[in-house]
């Protein structure tokens, strides 16, 4: 389920379209289906005959575009963005796409992910005289592009991208081109689609369904695609790297109807549930999933174990995020407002509760107590991922290391802390079998939050900065 707004979030969703007369309107619809990737700011920038039109704001897409703003965004090319932000930096300046003008024309940038060396680069750029308007990593990239001063925009972007490290998917819009690229490890997802003669790109393929576009393929790790009046041109990556797609997109973050790098998210989650049932089975009367992200895994567990799947928890979809204040009492009230245990379903039952992850342990603790209050006689918690022990530096923002319960507690201590009768997680090799990989082979995935084995270097100053930011807000 969604953490109750008391954690930091840096995940985002990006979209781009080139060559369609309804570019801005289609961007709006596509972004609606990417809203789960970020709910704190949204924006669309379009381009028409050398002029850029942009509208950005804080809040949900429907709040930001509540009037006729979309109609004002003229042109047949556009990019859009939905953003979670770090608390304290959720300002309009940081809402994306960011736009810049220079002698070569206009440039708009939308970015999903996190750079591990943004802080170091920013310090360097500031020392050399760059003036920053926002606190976002994206502006660092804009400065790098402006300073590259290469012959073409693409060359300048490539020069900038050579300097940045981390997990990223970018969409750039100039007066004449839509450029999209994915980091050399493929940490963050990015897919290409087609709508008539127009090309579209999006963080997740579910956006294509919404606008009736056809899925073409994923952008390859390190690849850049340039879309202009001549069509699509691909520039494969030049850095040799080991593919390391984020497994957490599949476990928790992405929408179940998206396909990422050839795997359907719902099917992967269902398989994770099946593996849990096979490897970590327990006797019980019903299986329930924490809505929404754990329903697929719970269905898989139930199918494999032949224990009935039940709707033991119901989520209220209409709780405004602003109601949920960052104090422990209000968070607790928040969980109760957002989730109900169904007494007639769970009363007198031994329950298997499936959740996709435990980060700080707060959600599981509250849900186990909701179920017991509703009369469950036993609660067995099964998690469809390995213990989350290390902070993510690539854009899935959870907590500082010392707040991650699995980093500081043994399995038995965690079980005790959340009040479950039994608790089990998947191992990394079990997780990998859901993608068809034999145990202990070289996996083309990032599992760093479980293993501590980060695919990129992690820069100490940036890491410390990140950690203190996370602690400052989540404590
Ligand atoms: P916690 O209460 O910190 O243990 O959070 C775990 C719950 O939050 C699980 O139910 C997950 O589905 C959900 N979750 C995991 N990662 C994130 C994230 N990055 N943002 C929001 N919710 C998350
Ligand atoms: Fe995804 Fe975890 Fe890697 Fe972050 S560390 S990119 S959440 S797998």
């Amino acid at each position: 389920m969604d953490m109750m707004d008391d954690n930091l979030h840096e995940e985002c969703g990006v979209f781009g379209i080139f060559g369609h007369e309804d570019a801005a309107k289609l961007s709006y619809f596509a972004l609606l289906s990417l809203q789960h990737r970020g709910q704190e700011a949204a924006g669309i920038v379009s381009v028409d005959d050398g002029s850029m039109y942009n509208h950005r704001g804080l809040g949900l897409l429907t709040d930001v575009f509540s009037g006729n703003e979309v109609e004002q965004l003229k042109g047949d090319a556009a990019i859009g963005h939905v953003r979670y932000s770090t608390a304290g930096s959720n300002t309009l300046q940081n809402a994306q796409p960011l736009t810049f003008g220079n002698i070569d024309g206009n440039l708009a940038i939308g970015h999903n992910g996190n750079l591990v060396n943004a802080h170091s680069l920013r310090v360097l750029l500031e020392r050399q005289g760059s003036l920053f308007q926002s606190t976002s990593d994206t502006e660092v990239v804009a400065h790098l592009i402006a300073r590259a001063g290469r012959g073409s925009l693409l060359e300048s972007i490539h020069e900038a991208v050579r300097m940045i490290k981390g997990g990223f998917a970018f969409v750039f819009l100039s007066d004449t081109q839509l450029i999209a690229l994915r980091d050399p490890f493929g940490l963050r997802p990015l897919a290409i689609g087609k709508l008539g003669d127009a090309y579209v790109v999006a963080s997740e393929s579910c956006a294509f369904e919404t606008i009736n576009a056809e899925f073409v393929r994923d952008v390859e790790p390190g690849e850049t695609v340039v879309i202009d009046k001549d069509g699509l041109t691909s520039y494969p990556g030049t850095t040799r790297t080991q593919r390391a797609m984020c497994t957490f997109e599949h476990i928790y973050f992405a929408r179940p109807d998206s396909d990422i790098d050839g795997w359907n998210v719902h099917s992967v989650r269902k398989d994770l549930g099946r593996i849990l049932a096979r490897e970590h089975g327990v006797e019980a009367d019903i299986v329930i999933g924490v809505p929404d992200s754990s329903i697929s895994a719970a269905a898989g567990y139930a199918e494999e174990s032949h224990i009935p799947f039940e709707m033991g928890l119901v989520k209220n979809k209409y709780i405004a995020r602003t109601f949920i204040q960052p104090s422990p009492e209000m968070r607790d009230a928040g969980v109760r407002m957002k989730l109900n245990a169904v007494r007639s379903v769970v009363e007198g039952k031994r329950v298997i509760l499936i959740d996709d992850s435990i980060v700080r342990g707060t959600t599981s603790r509250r849900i186990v107590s909701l179920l017991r209050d509703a009369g469950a006689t036993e609660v067995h918690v099964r998690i469809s991922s390995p213990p989350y022990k290390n902070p993510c530096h690539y854009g899935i923002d959870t907590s500082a290391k010392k707040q991650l319960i699995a980093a500081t507690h043994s399995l038995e201590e965690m079980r005790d802390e959340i009040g479950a009768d039994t608790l089990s997680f998947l191992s990394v090799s079990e997780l990998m079998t859901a993608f068809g990989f034999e145990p202990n082979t070289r996996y083309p995935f990032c599992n760093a939050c479980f293993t501590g084995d980060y695919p990129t270097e992690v820069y100490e100053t940036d890491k410390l900065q990140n950690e203190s930011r996370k602690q400052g807000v989540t404590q």
Side-chain angles (χ1 to χ4, degrees), residues 202-267:
S203 291
E204 285 182 46
S205 64
C206 64
F208 301 154
E209 292 293 323
T210 312
I211 57 170
N212 215 10
E214 180 195 329
F215 173 81
V216 175
R217 64 177 175 88
D218 294 280
V219 176
E220 289 296 311
E223 184 191 11
T224 307
V225 294
V226 177
I227 301 159
D228 57 20
K229 61 175 179 22
D230 300 321
L232 182 145
T233 316
S234 158
Y235 297 84
T238 49
T239 331
R240 275 179 64 87
T241 49
Q242 160 85 357
R243 190 186 265 266
M245 168 70 204
C246 167
T247 47
F248 211 64
E249 289 274 354
H250 279 283
I251 292 164
Y252 162 76
F253 198 50
R255 241 172 68 155
D257 51 339
S258 288
D259 292 336
I260 303 178
D261 288 343
W263 285 279
N264 168 254
V265 173
H266 162 75
S267 308

Side-chain angles (χ1 to χ4, degrees), residues 1-4 291 312-320 323-325 327-343 362-375 418:
M1 69 167 296
D2 293 336
M3 284 188 274
M4 304 311 298
L313 289 167
V314 173
K315 183 172 164 184
N316 183 342
K317 297 196 173 81
Y318 304 102
I319 296 295
F323 283 159
I324 300 160
Q325 303 299 321
S327 74
E329 298 74 33
M330 278 311 290
R331 275 181 228 153
D332 202 42
V335 172
R336 282 174 193 280
M337 278 191 282
K338 206 163 180 181
L339 274 182
N340 268 357
V342 186
R343 178 169 287 278
T362 349
T363 309
S364 312
R365 186 169 56 243
R366 290 172 191 147
I367 295 175
V368 170
S369 112
L370 276 184
L371 292 170
R372 291 208 195 277
D373 289 351
I418 66 172

Side-chain angles (χ1 to χ4, degrees), residues 12-211:
C12 298
V14 294
F15 179 77
I17 179 162
F18 191 96
H20 198 291
E21 55 181 3
D22 289 326
K25 207 177 279 173
L26 290 164
S27 302
Y28 174 81
F29 290 129
L31 289 176
L32 276 179
S33 64
L34 297 176
Q35 186 82 82
H36 62 286
R37 300 187 67 88
Q39 292 127 35
E40 286 167 17
I44 300 174
V45 173
S46 68
V47 68
D48 187 38
D49 208 12
S51 297
M52 275 199 174
Y53 299 84
N54 98 55
H55 183 71
R56 299 177 295 152
L58 299 180
L60 293 172
L61 206 66
T62 45
D63 300 329
V64 176
F65 294 88
S66 56
N68 65 345
E69 294 88 354
V70 175
E71 275 92 79
Q72 316 293 319
L73 304 175
K74 292 194 263 176
D76 65 1
I79 60 171
H81 191 264
V82 285
R83 168 179 162 92
Y84 265 136
S85 64
T86 52
S89 67
N90 190 27
T91 62
L92 194 53
Q93 285 101 309
N94 283 339
Q96 295 196 23
L98 296 180
T99 44
F100 305 88
N102 66 22
I103 43 166
D104 299 323
N106 297 298
L107 181 65
I109 310 181
H111 168 206
N112 168 217
N114 195 50
L115 309 183
V116 289
N117 62 342
H119 178 67
S120 326
L121 286 171
R122 194 185 176 99
V123 170
L124 194 80
L125 286 163
E126 278 175 342
R127 284 208 188 112
Q128 293 171 0
S130 293
L131 297 173
F132 283 82
Q133 294 164 16
S134 74
T135 55
S136 85
D137 290 3
T138 316
E139 202 183 343
V140 172
V141 177
H143 279 277
L144 291 173
I145 294 171
R147 293 166 60 97
R150 291 303 177 117
S152 71
L153 174 62
L154 180 65
E155 285 170 312
S156 295
I157 288 175
H158 277 162
E159 175 87 9
V161 167
R162 267 194 286 280
M163 299 187 68
I164 59 175
K165 307 256 180 307
F168 48 86
F170 278 102
V171 287
F172 299 93
L173 183 67
S174 75
D175 295 323
T176 53
Q177 290 177 318
L178 168 66
I179 298 179
L181 62 86
R182 194 171 172 198
D183 69 76
F185 297 90
L187 279 154
R188 300 270 65 89
L190 192 62
I192 307 171
K194 202 136 194 242
L195 180 59
D197 292 334
Y199 277 102
V200 286
V201 289
S203 291
E204 285 182 46
S205 64
C206 64
F208 301 154
E209 292 293 323
T210 312
I211 57 170

